[in-house]
Amino acid sequence: MPGPVRVDHGVTSGTFSLDGETFDVDNNIWVIGDDTECVVVDAPHDVADILAVVGDRKVKAIICTHAHDDHVRVAPALREEVVAPIMLHPDDRPLWELTHQHYLWDLDLADGLQIEVAGTPLQVLHTPGHAPGAVCLYAPDLGCVFTGDTLFQGGPGATGRSYSDADLIAASIRAKLFALPDDTVVHTGHGDDTTIGAEKSALA
Ligand SMILES: [Zn+2]
């Protein structure tokens, strides 16, 4: 028996660079699946750290929430290791090309696309603002959403750098994320979990 579908978590450390500045960052690793197959959300910093969360399961896809380098840097190396397609929203091509000039991703993400892992649907929500191609992944059966850097515990993701837009991220969060049930658990790209309801009242 492949066991129930679950969410596994790790943290890995590295750097984020944009606009000529570099920062130390801790990124969350999220792996969704059962005992036999899974998908990986983002590919930050270190392939070995990601594989430690994957274990011996088959990886169906590497789903990138956006193309900042701290989320995609080891995506091509991970792809080589697990032989799974990298998925990215094409609006993040300019950011992707800042990190990867010699590799492309394999499959385009789009709003409304449904990805299935271990019998569980993941719904792609295009939530531009932090990055033009930023997406969230909603797992209705698991009662959680993976928000990348679009929504954190304490509010929206940063919009101070190139390719970001503060008005757009606010509109994305209100239209796409605040439409989810209040008790939906938010698994973020950095830091602690929150819920849709908690962030809704914080922004009210
Ligand atoms: Zn980011």
Side-chain angles (χ1 to χ4, degrees):
M1 287 292 287
V5 179
R6 64 183 193 272
V7 176
D8 290 296
H9 174 236
V11 176
T12 183
S13 301
T15 60
F16 163 58
S17 300
L18 190 61
D19 298 339
E21 287 185 279
T22 296
F23 308 88
D24 291 327
V25 283
D26 292 339
N27 282 64
N28 289 323
I29 298 164
W30 298 109
V31 176
I32 311 157
D34 59 12
D35 290 339
T36 59
E37 67 172 33
C38 62
V39 297
V40 174
V41 181
D42 288 335
H45 308 311
D46 189 303
V47 170
D49 286 348
I50 298 167
L51 291 177
V53 182
V54 167
D56 59 4
R57 295 179 279 176
K58 177 180 171 45
V59 177
K60 281 187 79 176
I62 302 158
I63 305 169
C64 300
T65 60
H66 63 298
H68 281 153
D69 64 352
D70 58 325
H71 293 256
V72 300
R73 187 177 293 112
V74 302
L78 180 64
R79 169 173 63 187
E80 199 153 305
E81 200 71 34
V82 302
V83 193
I86 300 168
M87 305 183 77
L88 179 73
H89 194 289
D91 289 359
D92 259 14
R93 186 178 189 120
L95 285 166
W96 173 273
E97 289 176 342
L98 292 176
T99 303
H100 297 301
Q101 292 84 35
H102 304 293
Y103 302 98
L104 273 178
W105 65 97
D106 304 289
L107 298 171
D108 285 347
L109 295 172
D111 190 60
L113 180 72
Q114 189 153 300
I115 300 163
E116 177 268 324
V117 61
T120 288
L122 304 173
Q123 296 169 5
V124 176
L125 310 173
H126 183 209
T127 51
H130 176 72
V135 301
C136 298
L137 288 175
Y138 177 47
D141 293 355
L142 302 176
C144 64
V145 62
F146 300 83
T147 56
D149 291 357
T150 292
L151 183 64
F152 291 118
Q153 184 187 83
T159 48
R161 295 179 184 279
S162 300
Y163 306 105
S164 284
D165 185 318
D167 291 339
L168 199 51
I169 199 173
S172 290
I173 289 170
R174 286 180 197 287
K176 302 282 179 60
L177 296 180
F178 287 176
L180 303 178
D182 279 356
D183 61 356
T184 306
V185 174
V186 177
H187 295 307
T188 64
H190 308 270
D192 294 333
D193 289 348
T194 181
T195 64
I196 291 296
E199 299 311 318
K200 205 186 274 183
S201 38
L203 270 184

